[in-house]
Amino acid sequence: MGIDYLSMGDPRSPSLLMLHGIGGSAECFQPQMRAFSNDYHVIAWNMPGYGESPPLQPLTFEDLSKSVSALLEGLVISSRVHLLGHSLGGMVAQQFIADYPGKVASLTLAATSAAFGSRDGDFQKRFISERLGPLDQGLSMKQLASSIIDSLIGAGPDPEMLAIARSSMASVPEASYRANMELLVTFDLRRELGKIRVPTLLVAGEKDTNAPPAVMEKMSSYIPNAQFQCIKDAGHLINLEQPSAFNKVLRKFLQSIENTIQSDDENKDIQP
């Protein structure tokens, strides 16, 4: 069995591949799939261990990166893709572009970071204990979903999209949630930021305490020619909480890339 995914749009159009976070799923990109499918072949994966995608054992960022590559090969996508990663998905996206730079046309990193926690490891230990403690006490993902989502959101989220977020969180297998929490705290690709050579957009939520705007803005300063945008009132689930604002920022970014490509092609045509 291969990677499970959702897709919309013409496969002949430029591809936009979206990678969700620990509590997410392909369904969490519904507002982006609807908004961009007229112009792009939009693909949202269910990462290994989610939906119908079989889990990876052992689970590493390198193996998740290979899974992204395998998905693209399975879809017979040979051209470079526009890659969007949210939260843990943003970390997978960073690993993917480090491993396969020639397969990426642009990179959008939403509510994510280049490293997790402090250097001494105390933060990571506390984080794991706090996140997995309720499960250790016997509560289920379904029982915890609403409280987890409520801790991630900002002010005035879209209620319909919030329901999708809660449903996705409730459906995450406990084993996958545990495995990805353990994986999350190992991430550190700060040394790779300066090597990114594609157009890059970083999007933060104003109220996000997991990937704070100040941290993401500093991260953007290490990536050559990166853009940084902050979405007002949004928390960690930016694309679902404020879908219109998020889509507007993403569309402007992608359109600027398309305009550059078109201009370059026109200039080639008029070369003597």
Side-chain angles (χ1 to χ4, degrees), residues 35-36 186 258:
F36 290 92
T186 69
E258 298 300 327

Side-chain angles (χ1 to χ4, degrees), residues 209-236:
T209 58
N210 287 274
V215 172
M216 290 202 69
E217 186 170 19
K218 183 177 181 181
M219 179 181 169
S220 71
S221 70
Y222 293 105
I223 302 174
N225 301 313
Q227 303 177 35
F228 170 77
Q229 293 287 332
C230 183
I231 303 295
K232 182 177 173 58
D233 292 332
H236 192 63

Side-chain angles (χ1 to χ4, degrees), residues 5-194:
Y5 65 92
L6 298 176
S7 66
M8 290 180 68
D10 190 338
R12 296 169 297 181
S13 298
S15 296
L16 171 59
L17 174 62
M18 301 181 290
L19 312 176
H20 64 79
I22 289 178
S25 67
E27 295 285 345
C28 288
F29 289 110
Q30 281 189 30
Q32 286 69 53
M33 297 188 76
R34 292 196 295 263
F36 290 92
S37 58
N38 286 338
D39 302 304
Y40 296 88
H41 179 209
V42 188
I43 307 142
W45 83 340
N46 279 310
M47 69 185 294
Y50 291 66
E52 298 300 319
S53 298
L56 292 175
Q57 292 180 341
L59 179 64
T60 68
F61 280 104
E62 291 81 5
D63 286 328
L64 286 171
S65 175
K66 291 177 183 177
S67 295
V68 175
S69 181
L71 173 60
L72 295 176
E73 291 175 3
L75 291 170
V76 197
I77 297 175
S78 56
S79 59
R80 297 192 300 162
V81 300
H82 298 287
L83 185 61
L84 188 165
H86 172 261
S87 194
L88 180 73
M91 296 176 179
V92 176
Q94 291 174 69
Q95 184 69 58
F96 183 76
I97 196 170
D99 295 339
Y100 306 95
K103 294 187 176 184
V104 181
S106 75
L107 180 65
T108 300
L109 301 173
T112 192
S113 63
F116 191 91
S118 59
R119 295 179 184 277
D120 60 15
D122 287 342
F123 175 84
Q124 287 91 329
K125 293 175 184 176
R126 290 196 304 272
F127 179 86
I128 289 294
S129 177
E130 291 170 0
R131 295 301 190 277
L132 300 185
L135 293 173
D136 293 337
Q137 295 165 15
L139 295 178
S140 67
M141 290 301 301
K142 187 174 182 179
Q143 290 172 311
L144 291 171
S146 289
S147 62
I148 294 174
I149 293 300
D150 288 348
S151 73
L152 297 175
I153 60 175
D158 183 300
E160 180 184 353
M161 297 299 105
L162 196 57
I164 292 174
R166 288 178 173 143
S167 176
S168 290
M169 180 67 76
S171 67
V172 176
E174 180 179 331
S176 296
Y177 187 80
R178 286 179 176 276
N180 280 290
M181 280 294 177
E182 296 283 356
L183 177 67
L184 175 67
V185 300
T186 69
F187 187 72
D188 188 347
L189 280 188
R190 287 172 290 188
R191 67 187 183 281
E192 299 295 327
L193 293 178

